[in-house]
Amino acid sequence: MHALFLASALLVGCLLAVQASVNLQLNKAVGTPYGASTLQLGVATALLALLAVAVGAIGAVRLVPGVPFWHLLGGLASPLYITSGILLFPRLGALAAAGLFVTGQMFASLGLDLFGLFGIARKPLSVGIALGALAVLAGITVIIRGQRPAQSPPAAGPAPGGAPGTPARGGTATVTAPAATAAAVRRSGGLGQGGWILLGIVAGAVLPVQGAVNAALRKDIHEPVTTAMISFIVATITIAVVLLVLLATRRTPRPQLGGLRTMPWWGWLGGACAAAYVTATFTLIPTIGAATTVALTVTGQQVASAVIDNYGFLRLPRRPLTAPRLSGLALLIVGSVLVQLT
């Protein structure tokens, strides 16, 4: 059974990579990251509500009035993470953005385990955990530094946000990832490079916290599907309010739903991936620990990202695997094993 939990953590990490990739298609169709996030979270909420009804778990919502208020706030992490991914991928590049998310996830999960926060069982720091965390971070660093320019993207037109180095169908990237990143950041204004980096770290850090808070909510209402549904209801309401405020202040374009007709069908899979990830993490964290869960999901995320990059799946630019990137993946796996076995 323990092996099944570990395999589940790897699998949902793969889904996280798929989610980030397909969300770019949704953002391109809608024309605003906040509108895309609202749609994706709404889809996830609807799927979970249907599932809760189907399995007879919907009645657990009657227990919500007696739940501590902070147990209901896990959903706040989803809009922050999803919207951050849509904003950061075209500005910093997919691998650099993922590296920031991983950094935030790893340190937040270690904090949860070491200090026993949000109801997580306290886990003392060991040499293995420290070395494992360092290996994961080293692996991410090697992967980012080892990335090469895209060769031949299968998608028509530039990536959402006009990412440099992402050519039209049949074209060839002519700008390296670091150069593209620097150019995009210089033109992006707004937060500036330091602000975007901080946003990536914070967006990654909220994911383990979300899992811990949702795990506490599950103890209150006893139904995992209903717990996930409540989390996504909070997430959808939050991002919808943000979207309305930004529209009222003219800080974001009005969503263009007409573009959804030309979006590939798999552009809608982000909601299902998000629902599966959130449900799995708050189930796994109390069982195998926050650091282990994050280490394995990060490994799955990076392995899936490497496959997507290598073959140019999901209309992303093709970036063949190189020796440095393979070395980085090996470090990720070693780090995950160290964290899990100690």
Side-chain angles (χ1 to χ4, degrees):
M1 182 62 70
H2 189 67
L4 179 61
F5 290 143
L6 300 180
S8 298
L10 280 171
L11 177 60
V12 296
C14 295
L15 294 181
L16 204 60
V18 173
Q19 176 198 28
S21 300
V22 301
N23 280 350
L24 295 180
Q25 297 298 319
L26 187 59
N27 178 57
K28 183 179 179 180
V30 177
T32 167
Y34 309 100
S37 297
T38 302
L39 273 177
Q40 195 226 74
L41 290 168
V43 168
T45 302
L47 290 174
L48 288 166
L50 290 173
L51 183 58
V53 171
V55 300
I58 193 68
V61 296
R62 70 181 186 278
L63 300 175
V64 170
V67 169
F69 179 70
W70 67 271
H71 289 189
L72 302 173
L73 300 182
L76 297 178
S78 291
L80 176 59
Y81 175 80
I82 293 170
T83 306
S84 296
I86 295 173
L87 290 171
L88 292 174
F89 271 42
R91 287 178 169 84
L92 303 181
L95 289 178
L100 294 174
F101 293 153
V102 167
T103 301
Q105 285 175 268
M106 181 55 67
F107 282 104
S109 64
L110 287 176
L112 291 174
D113 279 345
L114 294 177
F115 298 103
L117 303 176
F118 301 110
I120 298 297
R122 190 169 183 176
K123 188 176 182 179
L125 180 65
S126 67
V127 174
I129 291 176
L131 290 177
L134 290 175
V136 169
L137 294 178
I140 290 297
T141 301
V142 171
I143 288 172
I144 294 173
R145 288 181 175 273
Q147 65 180 332
R148 289 183 177 179
Q151 289 187 350
S152 54
T166 307
R169 182 184 296 272
T172 303
T174 58
V175 183
T176 64
T181 297
V185 171
R186 283 195 298 268
R187 291 196 301 268
S188 65
L191 293 178
Q193 186 176 16
W196 295 121
I197 291 173
L198 179 61
L199 175 63
I201 293 173
V202 172
V206 298
L207 291 182
V209 175
Q210 178 189 50
V213 173
N214 284 344
L217 177 61
R218 184 193 176 185
K219 291 180 180 178
D220 295 327
I221 65 176
H222 312 297
E223 293 287 352
V225 175
T226 309
T227 299
M229 182 193 72
I230 293 170
S231 179
F232 274 97
I233 289 174
V234 172
T236 305
I237 293 174
T238 300
I239 193 61
V241 170
V242 171
L243 175 62
L244 291 174
V245 170
L246 292 175
L247 286 173
T249 57
R250 299 184 179 181
R251 299 294 299 274
T252 192
R254 185 176 297 276
Q256 303 298 318
L257 301 182
L260 296 174
R261 292 193 296 269
T262 59
M263 184 179 71
W265 65 268
W266 44 264
W268 292 105
L269 292 180
C273 292
Y277 174 82
V278 169
T279 305
T281 51
F282 73 70
T283 302
L284 292 169
I285 283 177
T287 305
I288 61 177
T292 301
T293 300
V294 169
L296 291 171
T297 55
V298 162
T299 301
Q301 180 183 5
Q302 292 303 312
V303 170
S305 296
V307 173
I308 291 170
D309 272 356
N310 189 57
Y311 294 100
F313 290 148
L314 304 175
R315 295 187 179 179
L316 291 181
R318 183 173 177 268
R319 294 182 175 89
L321 284 175
T322 61
R325 297 181 72 195
L326 286 171
S327 300
L329 288 175
L331 282 170
L332 280 175
I333 295 171
V334 170
S336 299
V337 171
L338 282 173
V339 171
Q340 195 276 320
L341 292 180
T342 51

